[in-house]
Amino acid sequence: MADDSANSPQNVTFASNGGHAHGYLALPGADVGPGLVVIQEWWGLTGHIVDLTDRFAAEGFVALAPDLYGGSTTHDADEAGRLMSELPVEQACRDLAGAVDYLLQRDDVSGDQVGVVGFCMGGAFVLNLAVQEGGKVAAAVPFYPVGQMPTDYSGLQAAVLAHFGEYDAFVPVESADDLSAQIAAGTGRTPEIHRYPAGHAFSNDENLLGTYDSAQASLAWERTIAFLHDHLD
C-alpha cells in the first residue's frame, strides 16, 4: 500500500498547472549553480530520490525533485504500477513545467536553461518535458525510460544522454536504437546513448528489484555529472 503523505519529504511549494505543486529542493554549497529537475521512479518521491537530489546538489546543482504523486510513496511493485498508470501524462508534464519555471526564477540558479534527469517512469518524463519545454532545457538524461514516450521530437532542443541496461526486463535494449533514430529524425542530432551489462533500475541502491549494480551505477553517475556540467555550466 502507498505510504501516508507525511512520509513524502516535501520541503518546497511552487506554482504549477494553475495551482501549486510540491517537491524536494536541495541546494549546492556554492551561492549559485545550474538548475536541475530530478524526476522520480514509479515508487514516488522516496528516500532514494531525495538522496539522489542531495548528491546532485553536492555536485553543484540547484536540484528539485517534484512530487508527482502528491505525497504517496510505495515499495510495492503492484502499487507502484497502479500509481504510475493513474498519473495523467499531460498533468505530470504541466507540473514538471512548473518546476522548470520555478528553478529559472530563482536567484541562485545560474543561466537561462536547466537540466532534467529521471529514472524509469521519470526517464520517459525527461523526454516529454524536454520536448515540451524546448529551449528552456539544455540537457536531458533519461535512465532506462518506461512509459509514454514522445512521438515527435521536433521540439527537442536539449542534448540527450540516455542510459539503458542490456538485461532490462522492462525496457528492451533495442529501444535504445529506436530512441536514437527517433531523436535523429526529429532534430537531425544523434543522442549519446550508453548500454550497460545490467538490469532495470541498476542505479537504484535500494535494490527493490534485485538489479542494483554499484559498478555500473557509478559509471552512469560519472557520465551524467560530466554531461550536465558540459551543457549547463
Side-chain angles (χ1 to χ4, degrees):
M1 297 298 291
D3 300 329
D4 185 84
S5 61
N7 291 332
S8 178
Q10 303 169 349
N11 67 359
V12 67
T13 300
F14 53 92
S16 183
N17 201 16
H20 292 89
H22 307 279
Y24 177 79
L25 179 71
L27 302 176
D31 292 335
V32 298
L36 180 67
V37 179
V38 182
I39 310 181
Q40 68 190 53
E41 295 175 297
W42 67 345
W43 311 110
L45 181 53
T46 61
H48 169 65
I49 298 299
V50 168
D51 177 64
L52 282 173
T53 306
D54 287 340
R55 289 175 62 193
F56 280 119
E59 296 287 350
F61 300 96
V62 178
L64 171 63
D67 188 346
L68 297 179
Y69 288 165
S72 295
T73 64
T74 184
H75 283 168
D76 178 82
D78 290 338
E79 182 75 0
R82 182 188 66 79
L83 289 168
M84 182 175 73
S85 67
E86 292 177 353
L87 178 66
V89 172
E90 295 79 7
Q91 172 191 310
C93 286
R94 288 193 295 268
D95 286 345
L96 292 168
V100 170
D101 290 340
Y102 170 77
L103 287 175
L104 291 175
Q105 292 164 6
R106 290 182 60 93
D107 292 338
D108 53 3
V109 170
S110 58
D112 56 3
Q113 295 176 296
V114 302
V116 186
V117 60
F119 305 81
C120 181
M121 176 188 82
F125 277 123
V126 162
L127 296 167
N128 283 289
L129 182 63
V131 169
Q132 171 185 284
E133 295 301 290
K136 293 181 181 180
V137 178
V141 185
F143 280 71
Y144 28 80
V146 172
Q148 183 176 324
M149 307 274 275
T151 56
D152 180 0
Y153 285 91
S154 59
L156 178 71
Q157 298 185 37
V160 175
L161 166 65
H163 304 288
F164 288 85
E166 294 176 349
Y167 313 129
D168 194 320
F170 294 89
V171 183
V173 70
E174 295 80 10
S175 63
D177 295 328
D178 294 338
L179 178 63
S180 181
Q182 290 169 5
I183 291 177
T187 68
R189 304 187 307 274
T190 300
E192 181 179 345
I193 293 181
H194 294 283
R195 299 163 180 81
Y196 301 81
H200 188 70
F202 64 82
S203 287
N204 187 332
D205 58 9
E206 286 189 321
N207 203 26
L208 299 176
L209 300 179
T211 53
Y212 173 61
D213 187 312
S214 60
Q216 302 309 316
S218 295
L219 178 57
W221 176 262
E222 292 168 3
R223 287 170 168 167
T224 296
I225 296 302
F227 180 85
L228 291 172
H229 280 303
D230 283 346
H231 293 280
L232 293 173
D233 286 348

